[in-house]
Every structure is written in structure tokens, then in C-alpha cells.
Amino acid sequence: MRIAVIGQSLFGQEVYKELRKDGHTIVGVFTIPDKDGKADPLATEAEKDGVPVFKFPRWRLKGQAIQEVVTQYKATGAELNVLPFCSQFIPMEVIDHPRHGSIIYHPSLLPRHRGASAINWTLIHGDKKGGFTVFWADDGLDTGPILLQRECDVEPNDTVNTIYKRFLFPEGVKGTVEAVRLIAEGKAPKITQPGDGATYECIQKKDNAKIDWNQSAEALHNWIRGNDKVPGAWAEVDGQKVTFYGSSLVDNETAVNGQPLEIPGASQPGIVTKSGLVLFGNDGKTLLVKNLQFEDGKMIAAAQYFRSGSSAAVELTEEEKTFAEQMRAVWESILSNVSQIEDSTDFFKSGAASMDVVRLVEEVKLRASSCQLQNEDVYMNTTFKDFIQMCVRKLRGEDDEEELVVDYVEKNINNMIIKMPHQLFINGEFVDAEGGKTYKTINPTDGTAICDVSLAQISDVDRAVAAAKEAFEEGEWGKMNPRDRGRLIYRLADLMEEHQEELATIEAIDSGAVYTLALKTHVGMSIQTFRYFAGWCDKIQGSTIPINQARPNRNLTFTKKEPMGVCAIVIPWNYPLMMLAWKTAACLAAGNTVVLKPAQVTPLTALKFAELAARAGLPKGVINILPGSGALVGQRLSDHPDVRKLGFTGSTEIGKHIMKSCAVSNVKKVSLELGGKSPLIIFSDCEMDKAVRMGMSSVFFNKGENCIAAGRLFVEDSIHDLFVQKVVEEVKKMKIGDPLDRSTDHGPQNHKAHLDKLVEYCQTGVKEGATLVCGGRQVQRPGFFFEPTVFTDVQDHMYIAKEESFGPVMIISKFKSGEVDDVLRRANATEYGLASGVFTRDISKALYVSERLNAGTVFVNTYNKTDVAAPFGGFKQSGFGKDLGQEALNEYLKTKAVTIEY
């Protein structure tokens, strides 16, 4: 058909484009005159296509059609007028002229909310259903016959902007084009609008948008969101007109803490909190407002009401000055009517509109992709100087819209001041547990309390999961470009590196890790892990698959890798930070959100990590840390219906229980890294000194608190005695002592209960007849120290041959020369299969043994050599699933297959 498009805006532009795609001829576009030297988007698009564009200031004068304008319109020969969005009054002479008449898009379910502010009134009235109508124009006000309607749910916290973007814009474009298609096919209905339920409301303007405080909280919320962003609901506060934006209803059961703000006419003062301005209805219920705008146009976060204008200007580096000049050029291109962009130039007072805000945000992304702006950032920083200051602060990671409040426990130790958070971390804030419950975390070096730590309760778990779910489904994390997500994770790794000495010191006093080892492995490998997975964020991809059912039709099948959603992570006490990193880094890289339970006895580096994650700019709710008991916190995470994946490292017994709970609750995906009794086979042709050195490392590394520790060494009989002699000589040289002493080789065991189990374990070995060569006792000094221990003559049936000690206990058994298959049988005669090792100079023997050892990792002529790029995980009752490497990503992704016939 030959169509005249009459209207304006981005909506009109999109309708115009889709009509052309549908094969219609656009004979003319009738739109508004240029504003401040800038053409409307509809005009710009049509001019680019060479379509005639008419920019009439008006169609009528003193109630009569302007004949010159009508004549120009009639000359186009239009068969149908389409009015996608039109702010001008069009004469009936034009409306009725085409063969098919005229159709109009209206953003409400007619006959409800006739008038120009239909979306506003849909929200102000609290309608549960909204939508749009395409109707046949007549001489009434939105009264013509209905051609097509589409409806949608109105969400409780929708604004004009959100419902427009989510439904009214995209579906409205489709609906308008579909209406034209029905007309072209001769199938378009004309349904008379019913009289029942018809409403007409006035145009919302600033003058009539003043807030009446004598209403319920829900009515106040509807009024504010119904006027957001235009014209803006306002009230007088501190003698000036203040406009309220970003309203949401809040739970009245949550305690409100903040600074009171007197508002004339309100039932009680508002409260400025860290989250925004809490307002009260006359029913005592509450709503939260995020942003405020003053009469001079300046917009601020409501949380900053009492400190607005207080932040000092930052001095720009040379690189930042270059960025500022690039943005000055962008402002010049947008504000083409302004001769020169000064620091005081105001974006909106210079003629910018909402579509220019979208462009400005995108222009910033092109030049500095790590600077993630929201439209509100532009509204709150309207002058060029304020805009640049805001961008630079974001680029530096200093954006303090909501200052992170941390109640530190500080200690002067290890030649530094360490600052340790000790509260739960939920939804971007450090908070007390329900009821203020706490427990003491103990320093294993001397048995004294380090500090009180918040003890999470079931309600805290539920709050954390809800925050993680909202961050995934509604927050910016779920919508973030993967490359930008990777940059945030990399920034987190950089912050961890800046704080590595502090993290290693906290790890040493909380877990007993020797400081030098904590610095290199506990912290160093954690940093490497986050950097490694930061690089994977934009490389997660599916595949294209040829399918057998491809004939006679053409088909395309492809897969997508998608994040799971809310993931729970439960980690052990032996490597508190590193186990966090191994699982959390892959989880975040895949796009998930996290609720993590550190071991109750070692919570402090996890809480420090939470602080650094917040300072790195990870959005609220993405990471949540809950110190607490496994029986309560771990169990609730296993049972929670909104948790879609649980990653666990710990004992096989607890792993089985978790797996059962996850299955019964909602069949959540599980990965388990469980116990081990890893065999290390040492052949007589080994390099003896290296075998001794690595054999000791395989057992005594990290005080033996190592999941892949060699739980049993099989030494060929011809070298057995020499091997034991050399090991004992080296053990006697080991220095046991304070883990912060740089010369210490062997620190305290993690906690008292574990120390007691080690004593009992060794006593059992002696009772069974194994030979205790050295050690086997608690060190007589304060703290939880246990001597490095060596047992020989250990027989296969003994308890210590089958069960892991998880401590510094070397279990040595002989095997006869030449009996390779027999020692392999003995090595594999365990329900565990986490790791294993072999020492030999014979490469054929090494490969033969490595093929037959039934374990997830096999070390040849080395041990403990894990790497962030190599997958790590066990067989049998050592669990399933992988940490590290590309395979770890699959633990936190789901695969969707999409098949298209075309």
C-alpha cells in the first residue's frame, strides 16, 4: 500500500522502518519541525531513504484546516494514514482522505485511559493490566473503532519508562505493522468501543503532578511512578520544589535506619537511608525513592540528600584529559546548536532529549567500555564538568553512589595494620546476622580469639538468595556484556593483588597457613584464578549442529551456553581463599550470582574478599558471604528452591548428604570435590633426592591439610630403607612454629577438633602394628601444633592405609621389585580417586602406570603441581565435576539447543 506516516519520535521511526521492510511504499512522512537545529529521528530516517519529508508547524489555524498543508498532503496519493505517535492535531479532512482511512497507535487498552497521558494514568490508577490499542481514527478523542489490542501485566514497580521499553514500544511497533498487514489483506476489524469502563484523564503536566501526601503508601508509589520521568511528581522540601523518581514499595518488616527528613504534609518524616529516601503513607506502610531532582535541574541519588554537592573535584590525569576531550567532541556533535562546550554547559538546557541520553551512554561505552553508565547517571550530572567528573570516578572505581560501610576489626600484626570485616555480606552490604548472633573465630597459633564473627541464620540465607536472584534476573549483572563482566573480574584480581600481603596475613592467623605459602599459593593462585577466568567471559559459546531431519525442509540447530542462575558454594577450611577462588571465579565468569558459605572456622578472608569485590564494582547481590554452620547454612542452601547449582568441597560423608538434599529439593546441579587417599608409587629407578623432596611435599605441604595429599606412599622394597632414612633426616630439619615467621616450615593445624583427630589417627596406627618412625604427637606449646609424622610397615588392611588423615602423616608401604601390576592393584584398591603420582626414570613405565591409576589427576615425577588452566577433580567417592580450566565453566553453565526451520 501507499502509506503516509504522520508522527514523530523513535517509535515512529521504527514503525516507518518496519513498514518499508513489509514492502509498503511510504509516500510521505509528516513530522514536527526541527528543534534546536536537530531533526526528529523519523525525519532523519526518511530523509536518508529519499522519502519526501514535510515538517509542518501546524495543520490547523483557529480550528480550520490550513488548505496549503492539506493540498501538499493530498498530493502524495496515500491510501492509508498511519499515526504511530503524533502530538499534532490532524484535520478530519486529512484523516478521512485515504481510501483506507487512518489508524492510530494508543498506549492503553481503550476505552480506558483516553487522552495524551494514557501510560501515566495506567500506573497512577494501579492497573494490573496495561497494553495498547490500534484504532480507526474518527472525529472523537480516542473513540474510534478498535482494530487491534495487545495486553501485558503491569509489574508492581513499573514506571512509564520500564513498561514502555518492555512492552509498549517493541510490541507496539509489531502491533502497528500487523494492523497495516490486516488492512492490506482485507481482514482488519472495526470493533465499536464499549461505553462501560471508558475513562478520560487530563494531560499530566508539572502543575498538576504535585504529591498529595494524605494517601496510602501504594497510592503515593503509583502517583510517583505514574509521573516518572515526565512530568515528575513533586513536593516542597526544605523550601524548594523537589521531584521524586524511582519509587518502589518496600517490606515494612525491615527496620529503617537513617537520617529523618521533614516533608510538609507527610504523615511522618521521610528517612534518608543508604538505599534511598523512605517515605510513609497515611497507612503507615513505606515506599522507597531512589533519585531526587531540584529546581535547578540537578538530580542526585536520594541516599546522598544530606551530602549533595559535598564531593571534591578530582584532578584528571593526562589520559583522563584525553578522554574528556573525546567526550567534549561527542557533546558538540549531539548539541549541534551550541557553538562551544564549556564546563558549565548543561546537557538538557542546551536542548538534549531522552534519545540523546541513550546516544551519550553508548558513546561513552565505545570510548571506555569499563565505564558502565545508566541513563540516570546523565540526568544526575547534567553539566559537562559534572559529567566528566562522574565518568572519571567510575573509571577509577571510585564511584561512591552508596559508600561501602565496613565495621572493621583492626590488628597491628606482621608489620602492617590489617582491617578485617566480620559481618555477613548480603546484597552489597555488611550486616549483622538475625538476632545479632555471633561466634568467635580462633587463631590456631595460640588458641586465642581473633574476633567475633556474625553467625548466619536461615532468614539470612533466604535474604542472600533473594538478593542473588534479583541481581541475576533483574540487575545489571545479568544484562552485562560478557567482556565488561570480565573487566570487573579482572579489576577484582588487581585489587586482590594490591591487598595480597593483608590477605596472606589474615589467612595465616585464621587458618594457620605459613605466611610465605599463603602469599604464594593461598593468595597468589587465587589471583591467578580470577585473572584466568576473567579472560573466559567473552569466549563462552555454543555450536552449530547439522541435524538428520534436515530434509525436505531447511533447518538450523545451534546451542547456547547459559548461566545457571543463583549458585551456592560451600568451601572447606584448608585453603579458605583459594577454594573460594577456584569455584567463584568460574561461576562469575559464566554469568551467575553467588551465595558462598566459608568454613565456620575460617571465615575472614572470604569476608575481606567480599569487601574487595564491592570496591571492584561488582553489582549488589552478585556475591553474598554467609559464615555459619554447615548443619544450618549449608543445609538451607542445599534445600533452597531458588538455588540452581551447588558446588561443594569437603568430606565424602557431607558430600553424600548434600547430593541427597539437592536431589530431593529441586534436583539442583551439583559438583563435589570430596575426600582422597591418593597413592604415590616410587620405583627404584627414580631420581632419589627429587623423590624424597617431592614425596615430603606430597604429604607435608600446607601441614598435610591438602585434599590431594599423598595418603599412602608405595616404595619399591630395594630403596625403601634409604628413602625412609632420607625422609626422616629432612623431617628433623623442619622448623615448627609461628606461621608469620618467615623461617617457619610447619605451622599449626587448623583447629582443635582436627588436632584431636590426628592424635587419635596415629594412636590407631600404632595399635594396628604399623611402625611409628617419628612424630605422632601434639607439640607441647600453645596452639594446635602436630609433629610431622612417618609410619612404615603399613599393611593394606590397616585403618591408616585406607582412611585419610588430612594432616602431616606419611604412610609408607613396601612393594616388591617388578610387581608393577600388583602395586597398581593395591593403589587402586580404594573408594577414593582424587589424585595419584609416580616417580620413575622409565617413560614407558610412567605412561603405563598413569594410564592405569584410577584418579582424576596423575603426577609424574612431580606432585602438587596444579595450574589454573588444568582441570581438577576426582573419580569414584572423591566426587565429580571439575574446578579450574575450561571444563570448570561447564559446571556453572547449562546448554540450550535451538532448532529453526526456515
Side-chain angles (χ1 to χ4, degrees):
M1 281 192 297
R2 294 170 57 82
I3 295 174
V5 177
I6 305 175
Q8 65 209 65
S9 79
L10 289 169
F11 184 82
Q13 179 190 42
E14 288 302 309
V15 170
Y16 161 86
K17 287 161 63 176
E18 293 301 316
L19 288 174
R20 279 175 54 87
K21 284 182 186 177
D22 245 19
H24 301 290
T25 301
I26 309 301
V27 295
V29 164
F30 298 83
T31 188
I32 57 175
D34 296 354
K35 182 180 180 182
D36 296 322
K38 295 170 60 179
D40 183 82
L42 174 57
T44 302
E45 190 73 26
E47 287 168 348
K48 185 175 69 176
D49 296 332
V51 171
V53 176
F54 305 86
K55 301 178 181 179
F56 302 136
R58 62 185 62 85
W59 292 71
R60 301 189 307 175
L61 186 62
K62 296 182 180 180
Q64 299 297 314
I66 302 172
Q67 286 307 310
E68 181 184 349
V69 171
V70 173
T71 300
Q72 289 188 61
Y73 159 75
K74 288 182 177 180
T76 63
E79 299 174 298
L80 174 70
N81 292 332
V82 175
L83 285 70
F85 173 77
C86 183
S87 62
Q88 296 175 312
F89 285 100
I90 310 301
M92 288 306 298
E93 199 173 335
V94 171
I95 293 293
D96 293 335
H97 177 73
R99 179 161 62 95
H100 294 294
S102 302
I103 59 170
I104 302 176
Y105 167 87
H106 184 80
S108 79
L109 297 173
L110 292 174
R112 191 161 173 78
H113 305 310
R114 293 168 177 162
S117 297
I119 312 176
N120 305 77
W121 288 102
T122 297
L123 299 174
I124 290 169
H125 282 282
D127 293 358
K128 303 302 181 187
K129 293 288 184 181
F132 64 85
T133 304
V134 179
F135 68 96
W136 299 93
D138 65 4
D139 58 358
L141 187 61
D142 303 332
T143 56
I146 294 170
L147 192 163
L148 175 149
Q149 284 188 323
R150 297 287 183 267
E151 73 172 32
C152 68
D153 291 330
V154 179
E155 301 296 334
N157 292 322
D158 262 333
T159 63
V160 173
N161 193 41
T162 60
I163 194 172
Y164 186 68
K165 283 186 174 180
R166 186 181 73 248
F167 185 82
L168 297 176
F169 185 107
E171 296 303 318
V173 170
K174 294 177 187 175
T176 304
V177 174
E178 183 182 347
V180 173
R181 194 175 296 137
L182 290 171
I183 294 169
E185 295 171 354
K187 299 177 181 178
K190 290 188 177 182
I191 303 168
T192 301
Q193 290 192 32
D196 292 341
T199 65
Y200 171 80
E201 292 93 2
C202 64
I203 297 174
Q204 278 304 95
K205 297 180 179 179
K206 201 71 177 181
D207 291 344
N208 59 11
K210 186 176 181 179
I211 300 170
D212 174 8
W213 293 108
N214 189 27
Q215 301 181 82
S216 68
E218 184 176 2
L220 290 172
H221 165 64
N222 287 338
W223 183 261
I224 293 171
R225 69 183 180 130
N227 286 282
D228 185 345
K229 295 273 193 236
V230 177
W234 63 275
E236 287 190 5
V237 182
D238 287 338
Q240 62 177 323
K241 186 182 288 186
V242 176
T243 305
F244 297 71
Y245 298 108
S247 173
S248 59
L249 291 170
V250 294
D251 182 2
N252 274 62
E253 295 180 3
T254 304
V256 180
N257 298 309
Q259 191 169 348
L261 177 64
E262 291 292 339
I263 301 175
S267 58
Q268 56 182 294
I271 301 177
V272 177
T273 72
K274 290 184 292 184
S275 301
L277 174 60
V278 175
L279 301 171
F280 295 84
N282 60 11
D283 56 356
K285 295 184 178 179
T286 55
L287 59 146
L288 180 74
V289 168
K290 284 286 189 182
N291 300 317
L292 301 172
Q293 188 174 36
F294 300 106
E295 288 180 279
D296 63 1
K298 174 71 174 177
M299 185 181 283
I300 65 166
Q304 296 189 355
Y305 182 84
F306 289 111
R307 33 186 192 117
S308 61
S310 61
S311 58
V314 298
E315 187 174 340
L316 273 57
T317 65
E318 290 303 315
E319 184 178 354
E320 289 163 351
K321 288 177 182 177
T322 300
F323 168 76
E325 289 310 307
Q326 291 175 348
M327 295 316 303
R328 194 184 300 274
V330 170
W331 277 51
E332 288 172 350
S333 67
I334 294 175
L335 305 175
S336 55
N337 56 308
V338 178
S339 58
Q340 187 172 355
I341 302 298
E342 307 284 354
D343 283 353
S344 59
T345 300
D346 188 286
F347 194 64
F348 297 102
K349 290 179 181 178
S350 299
S354 58
M355 59 188 176
D356 298 313
V357 174
V358 175
R359 177 183 166 185
L360 183 56
V361 169
E362 293 303 314
E363 293 276 11
V364 171
K365 287 181 182 177
L366 287 174
R367 288 158 180 79
S369 58
S370 60
C371 186
Q372 294 293 312
L373 298 191
Q374 303 297 322
N375 291 358
E376 286 75 13
D377 292 319
V378 182
Y379 288 109
M380 286 191 268
N381 298 274
T382 60
T383 67
F384 182 73
K385 180 180 179 180
D386 288 347
F387 176 79
I388 292 299
Q389 289 280 310
M390 175 270 298
C391 289
V392 168
R393 284 193 170 95
K394 282 185 177 287
L395 286 168
R396 293 182 182 182
E398 298 173 1
D399 178 29
D400 58 353
E401 262 186 26
E402 286 188 36
E403 183 180 352
L404 181 66
V405 178
V406 188
D407 179 25
Y408 293 113
V409 172
E410 296 188 13
K411 288 187 180 293
N412 189 342
I413 190 170
N414 200 24
N415 300 315
M416 69 183 78
I417 302 290
I418 60 171
K419 301 170 74 173
M420 299 176 290
H422 62 97
Q423 298 167 288
L424 314 180
F425 187 73
I426 299 175
N427 201 26
E429 295 182 303
F430 285 103
V431 295
D432 290 335
E434 180 195 0
K437 293 188 177 180
T438 63
Y439 70 99
K440 295 186 184 301
T441 185
I442 304 299
N443 184 341
T445 302
D446 57 14
T448 62
I450 302 171
C451 63
D452 289 335
V453 177
S454 293
L455 182 67
Q457 305 299 301
I458 287 179
S459 63
D460 299 314
V461 179
D462 292 343
R463 281 195 298 142
V465 172
K469 184 179 181 182
E470 182 178 1
F472 178 75
E473 294 180 352
E474 306 294 336
E476 58 182 297
W477 186 253
K479 304 167 189 173
M480 190 175 291
N481 180 289
R483 189 163 297 175
D484 294 331
R485 188 164 64 239
R487 288 191 178 94
L488 282 180
I489 296 172
Y490 202 94
R491 187 186 301 165
L492 170 57
D494 286 346
L495 273 180
M496 292 173 69
E497 187 170 53
E498 288 177 24
H499 290 260
Q500 60 184 331
E501 289 86 1
E502 184 181 21
L503 285 165
T505 302
I506 296 171
E507 195 90 323
I509 66 171
D510 203 26
S511 76
V514 171
Y515 174 75
T516 50
L517 177 66
L519 195 61
K520 177 182 181 295
T521 301
H522 290 237
V523 179
M525 192 174 188
S526 298
I527 295 166
Q528 293 171 14
T529 303
F530 278 102
R531 285 196 173 131
Y532 173 79
F533 282 106
W536 269 110
C537 290
D538 61 352
K539 299 171 187 68
I540 297 170
Q541 57 193 14
S543 57
T544 305
I545 304 168
I547 59 173
N548 290 331
Q549 305 301 324
R551 293 185 299 270
N553 299 309
R554 292 192 296 172
N555 298 272
L556 171 66
T557 295
F558 62 90
T559 60
K560 296 176 66 181
K561 298 284 188 178
E562 297 181 348
M564 300 293 300
V566 179
C567 296
I569 293 174
V570 180
I571 56 173
W573 42 259
N574 58 327
Y575 293 102
L577 185 63
M578 195 171 78
M579 291 296 97
L580 176 153
W582 280 22
K583 295 186 187 298
T584 304
C587 181
L588 294 177
N592 301 285
T593 55
V594 178
V595 180
L596 181 139
K597 191 199 89 65
Q600 187 170 351
V601 293
T602 54
L604 295 180
T605 45
L607 293 171
K608 187 67 181 180
F609 166 82
E611 178 200 341
L612 298 180
R615 299 200 187 284
L618 271 73
K620 287 183 174 184
V622 173
I623 289 174
N624 304 271
I625 307 292
L626 301 177
S629 73
L632 194 150
V633 177
Q635 185 65 55
R636 178 57 181 155
L637 289 171
S638 301
D639 294 337
H640 204 292
D642 290 332
V643 174
R644 293 299 170 188
K645 160 70 199 279
L646 192 147
F648 172 74
T649 295
S651 72
T652 297
E653 179 186 5
I654 299 300
K656 289 177 178 179
H657 181 79
I658 285 175
M659 189 174 174
K660 181 179 180 180
S661 296
C662 289
V664 170
S665 58
N666 61 343
V667 198
K668 55 177 63 71
K669 188 175 182 178
V670 183
S671 56
L672 304 172
E673 196 252 278
L674 307 176
K677 188 67 175 174
S678 301
L680 174 58
I681 303 173
I682 300 175
F683 288 98
S684 59
D685 62 351
C686 69
E687 184 183 331
M688 176 61 76
D689 288 344
K690 183 177 183 181
V692 170
R693 186 174 71 254
M694 299 304 297
M696 288 188 64
S697 174
S698 75
V699 175
F700 301 127
F701 188 82
N702 199 47
K703 313 161 291 172
E705 294 170 355
N706 187 17
C707 51
I708 59 171
R712 192 175 181 193
L713 277 66
F714 294 91
V715 182
E716 195 164 350
D717 55 5
S718 61
I719 62 167
H720 173 273
D721 294 347
L722 178 61
F723 180 85
V724 172
Q725 175 190 330
K726 286 180 173 287
V727 165
V728 173
E729 289 172 359
E730 293 300 318
V731 167
K732 289 178 179 179
K733 297 177 186 177
M734 293 175 69
K735 179 181 176 180
I736 302 173
D738 184 349
L740 293 176
D741 184 336
R742 304 314 194 256
S743 64
T744 294
D745 300 304
H746 188 79
Q749 305 308 133
N750 187 276
H751 53 280
K752 181 65 165 60
H754 180 52
L755 176 67
D756 293 342
K757 285 183 179 179
L758 283 174
V759 172
E760 183 182 350
Y761 183 90
C762 291
Q763 290 172 347
T764 300
V766 172
K767 288 178 183 177
E768 288 185 319
T771 301
L772 178 62
V773 181
C774 63
R777 297 172 302 179
Q778 178 178 354
V779 179
Q780 296 306 305
R781 59 177 292 169
F784 311 140
F785 291 86
F786 191 81
E787 295 176 338
T789 299
V790 178
F791 277 101
T792 61
D793 302 321
V794 178
Q795 306 303 311
D796 293 354
H797 67 276
M798 293 180 179
Y799 176 84
I800 63 173
K802 295 184 289 185
E803 297 298 328
E804 70 174 331
S805 67
F806 213 66
V809 182
M810 182 178 284
I811 307 296
I812 303 175
S813 299
K814 294 180 185 178
F815 70 93
K816 292 181 180 180
S817 298
E819 295 187 353
V820 176
D821 288 330
D822 186 62
V823 74
L824 279 169
R825 176 190 60 76
R826 295 170 68 194
N828 286 328
T830 172
E831 274 300 302
Y832 300 112
L834 190 56
S836 59
V838 56
F839 278 82
T840 176
R841 285 191 174 96
D842 185 338
I843 187 63
S844 296
K845 187 188 296 180
L847 290 173
Y848 180 85
V849 170
S850 65
E851 286 175 3
R852 285 158 178 78
L853 282 169
N854 195 4
T857 297
V858 181
F859 298 108
V860 177
N861 293 329
T862 188
Y863 209 88
N864 285 326
K865 189 164 282 187
T866 54
D867 187 89
V868 294
F872 179 93
F875 297 165
K876 299 186 286 188
Q877 291 197 43
S878 288
F880 51 84
K882 298 295 182 184
D883 291 327
L884 304 180
Q886 182 180 358
E887 288 194 38
L889 291 167
N890 294 327
E891 304 300 327
Y892 300 95
L893 292 166
K894 56 189 178 187
T895 302
K896 176 183 289 182
V898 180
T899 298
I900 302 169
E901 182 176 293
Y902 61 98

